[in-house]
Amino acid sequence: MTSRTCLSVILAAGEGTRMKSALPKVLHPIAGLPIVAHVAKAVHSAGSGDIALVVGREGDAVRDAVKSVVSNVTVHEQKERLGTAHAVLAARDAIARGYDDILVVFGDTPLIETAALDQARAKLEDGADVVIMGFRPENPAGYGRLIEENGKLLAIREDKDTSDDEKKIGFCNGGFMALRGDSALQLLDKVGNANAKGEYYLTDVVEIANGVGKLAVAIEIPVENIIGINTRVELAEAEAIWQNRKRRAMMLAGVSIQAPETVFFAYDTLIESDVVLEPNIVFGPGVSIATGAVIHAFSHLEGAHIGPRAMVGPFARLRPGADLAVNAKIGNFVEVKNAKVGAGAKVSHLSYLGDAIVGAGANIGAGAITCNYDGYNKALTQIGAGAFIGSNSSLVAPVSVGDNAYVASGSVITQNVPDDALAFGRAHQVIKEGRAVLLRERYAAQKKAKKAE
Ligand code: UD1
Ligand code: MG
């Protein structure tokens, strides 16, 4: 990677009224991460350590979203929306700090990829003063057209200002730009607003650069990169594209996904090679899965770590703090929250483990649960290595069951069980010979009497 310094100016002053939402547009999530944070991640991995965020109202929440992924962020308020060049100049102080490269990107384009930004910066390093990231849409109407000659970009004509001939140009402005830091302000300050919309167009810097003998060029980037989100329909479309990219990247990295279109990842899902994902799995944020694990169908995972060769599901729910060691097994209709499950331990059916530590090789029977909450406080359940918890037992926390201890089925355990002990916490069984016959006769008589009434 280049050693050149880089500032990214993220324009996010748009109102986003078409989202019809109380939440600012750029804070709507894609794969669990706000749109604007996706943009910040992309510029950060393109080597831009510093970000100047241009916001309208409600800037604090937008800043926090960006700061969650990149720490060096300055916020600049654009009080009136007078155009994209005016928006960039709201970050004048940041640009004036002096950078080799300035990237200008839009805060509502979550699918922008690092590769496109890298390519633009490489052109600056090769000697260009202005680099435009262009694309070829199916329908160019509405976009600024790129006017090139001999590999040089002469001008960008905004759609409303194009002649009939220029309207036919298919190569369009994606909106993102890279500028040499030492001439950026000089060019931006020359932008006027004598155009069809009466706005200060960022795109005018191309003609201005040409006028003072500087070099502007365009590169072509994939269409997906520039998709901006304006409505919830576009939000869902972008989510779909993001998920497809992620599924493909996962499979190419060695993860088997049997029905890729039914598996939904979060922005930070980490999965090692030789993991198998069955159909219909949803990942919330914060999941990591080690090699060889299998996630069976219809499972929901969030904030969980799955150790090597562990098995999860079908129909399992792993909530934040679920931590499965090597070869652990979580079966169907099991919910795990803030609980460590030791190596080879099994929780095979219909259990709830909350705030627990389960030792290696322990076996938690069907329907056994931890009672971790009294309506006010949470408490810990500790289960020793090799312990056996009989089916349908309730472990009332705080409580511990020792190593290799045995809890009889149906027990309610309220006192600690020592190592190797056997604990019963249930009523004694009573047998009354022949009593079922009498019971049946009595009930039949009761029913008959009721009918006769
Ligand atoms: C812009 C480009 C156009 C390009 C298109 C691609 C300009 C003048 N035109 O047009 O060539 O084809 O993007 O989508 O740059 N913004 C502010 N403050 C403002 C104005 C805009 O923050 O005063 C932000 C918006 O929130 C948005 C971005 O800048 O994120 C782009 O603005 P928008 O009005 O969508 O520009 P377009 O007309 O689409
Ligand atoms: Mg736009």
Side-chain angles (χ1 to χ4, degrees), residues 32-253:
L33 187 73
I35 291 169
V36 70
H38 282 272
V39 177
K41 263 182 86 167
V43 296
H44 189 253
S45 44
S48 178
D50 293 357
I51 287 179
L53 180 66
V54 178
V55 295
R57 290 173 297 118
E58 298 193 72
D60 288 356
V62 178
R63 178 203 58 211
D64 292 348
V66 171
K67 280 213 158 192
S68 73
V69 291
V70 182
S71 53
N72 286 344
V73 182
T74 53
V75 178
H76 310 269
E77 195 183 344
Q78 187 195 19
K79 295 207 169 68
E80 282 177 289
R81 293 190 78 222
L82 301 180
T84 43
H86 181 261
V88 175
L89 281 169
R92 176 190 297 277
D93 292 351
I95 298 169
R97 286 199 296 261
Y99 292 88
D100 296 319
D101 301 346
I102 307 289
L103 284 172
V104 179
V105 294
F106 298 164
D108 63 356
T109 53
L111 299 172
I112 183 165
E113 288 174 298
T114 303
L117 302 167
D118 283 345
Q119 215 185 324
R121 290 192 65 200
K123 285 281 180 197
L124 291 182
E125 198 162 13
D126 286 351
D129 300 285
V130 176
V131 183
I132 295 298
M133 288 171 249
F135 72 114
R136 292 181 190 277
E138 267 176 42
N139 177 9
Y143 293 106
R145 308 301 204 286
L146 302 183
I147 299 173
E148 288 183 301
E149 199 179 274
N150 301 327
K152 286 186 180 178
L153 183 65
L154 300 184
I156 302 178
R157 198 79 72 228
E158 286 305 296
D159 192 55
K160 285 201 169 153
D161 302 297
T162 45
S163 67
D164 287 348
D165 266 356
E166 288 166 345
K167 275 198 186 359
K168 292 178 196 147
I169 297 172
F171 195 22
C172 295
N173 178 24
F176 314 137
M177 189 178 287
L179 297 158
R180 260 187 79 101
D182 56 9
S183 53
L185 285 176
Q186 179 200 331
L187 299 178
L188 285 162
D189 278 329
K190 291 204 172 83
V191 174
N193 65 350
N195 52 52
K197 279 169 123 181
E199 284 188 3
Y200 293 87
Y201 289 160
L202 176 61
T203 45
D204 281 357
V205 299
V206 172
E207 243 173 315
I208 293 165
N210 276 284
V212 294
K214 294 194 180 293
L215 176 64
V217 296
I219 58 170
E220 187 177 342
I221 66 173
V223 179
E224 284 177 7
N225 277 251
I226 65 99
I227 293 175
I229 309 299
N230 296 302
T231 66
R232 301 207 195 219
V233 174
E234 288 164 350
L235 183 70
E237 286 166 356
E239 176 83 39
I241 292 169
W242 190 96
Q243 292 294 343
N244 274 332
R245 278 184 183 171
K246 187 74 173 179
R247 292 163 186 149
R248 194 181 150 73
M250 287 277 188
M251 290 187 279
L252 290 174

Side-chain angles (χ1 to χ4, degrees), residues 177-425:
M177 189 178 287
L179 297 158
R180 260 187 79 101
D182 56 9
S183 53
L185 285 176
Q186 179 200 331
L187 299 178
L188 285 162
D189 278 329
K190 291 204 172 83
V191 174
N193 65 350
N195 52 52
K197 279 169 123 181
E199 284 188 3
Y200 293 87
Y201 289 160
L202 176 61
T203 45
D204 281 357
V205 299
V206 172
E207 243 173 315
I208 293 165
N210 276 284
V212 294
K214 294 194 180 293
L215 176 64
V217 296
I219 58 170
E220 187 177 342
I221 66 173
V223 179
E224 284 177 7
N225 277 251
I226 65 99
I227 293 175
I229 309 299
N230 296 302
T231 66
R232 301 207 195 219
V233 174
E234 288 164 350
L235 183 70
E237 286 166 356
E239 176 83 39
I241 292 169
W242 190 96
Q243 292 294 343
N244 274 332
R245 278 184 183 171
K246 187 74 173 179
R247 292 163 186 149
R248 194 181 150 73
M250 287 277 188
M251 290 187 279
L252 290 174
V255 177
S256 285
I257 311 181
Q258 293 172 353
E261 66 285 1
T262 69
V263 174
F264 295 85
F265 295 105
Y267 67 96
D268 61 350
T269 309
L270 289 174
I271 305 187
E272 291 181 3
S273 63
D274 286 324
V275 166
V276 175
L277 302 180
E278 286 187 356
N280 295 298
I281 297 169
V282 176
F283 291 95
V287 175
S288 57
I289 307 181
T291 186
V294 178
I295 313 298
H296 294 288
F298 297 100
S299 293
H300 189 285
L301 296 82
E302 180 179 357
H305 173 71
I306 317 297
R309 298 180 299 286
M311 308 267 262
V312 173
F315 297 97
R317 177 161 186 220
L318 300 190
R319 291 171 52 204
D323 186 353
L324 314 189
V326 56
N327 285 323
K329 183 185 171 201
I330 297 298
N332 43 259
F333 304 106
V334 172
E335 175 178 344
V336 181
K337 185 220 71 166
N338 188 32
K340 287 188 193 305
V341 180
K346 290 192 171 73
V347 192
S348 296
H349 336 265
L350 300 151
S351 284
Y352 171 59
L353 282 184
D355 304 302
I357 299 173
V358 177
N363 190 315
I364 314 294
I369 63 166
T370 55
C371 306
N372 61 321
Y373 186 50
D374 56 15
Y376 296 89
N377 300 298
K378 306 270 165 69
L380 180 71
T381 300
Q382 282 177 282
I383 298 170
F388 186 97
I389 309 298
S391 293
N392 206 33
S393 293
S394 301
L395 307 176
V396 183
V399 76
S400 69
V401 175
D403 290 350
N404 299 306
Y406 203 107
V407 169
S409 300
S411 292
V412 176
I413 297 295
T414 55
Q415 292 165 38
N416 294 345
V417 180
D419 292 355
D420 288 316
L422 167 61
F424 287 87

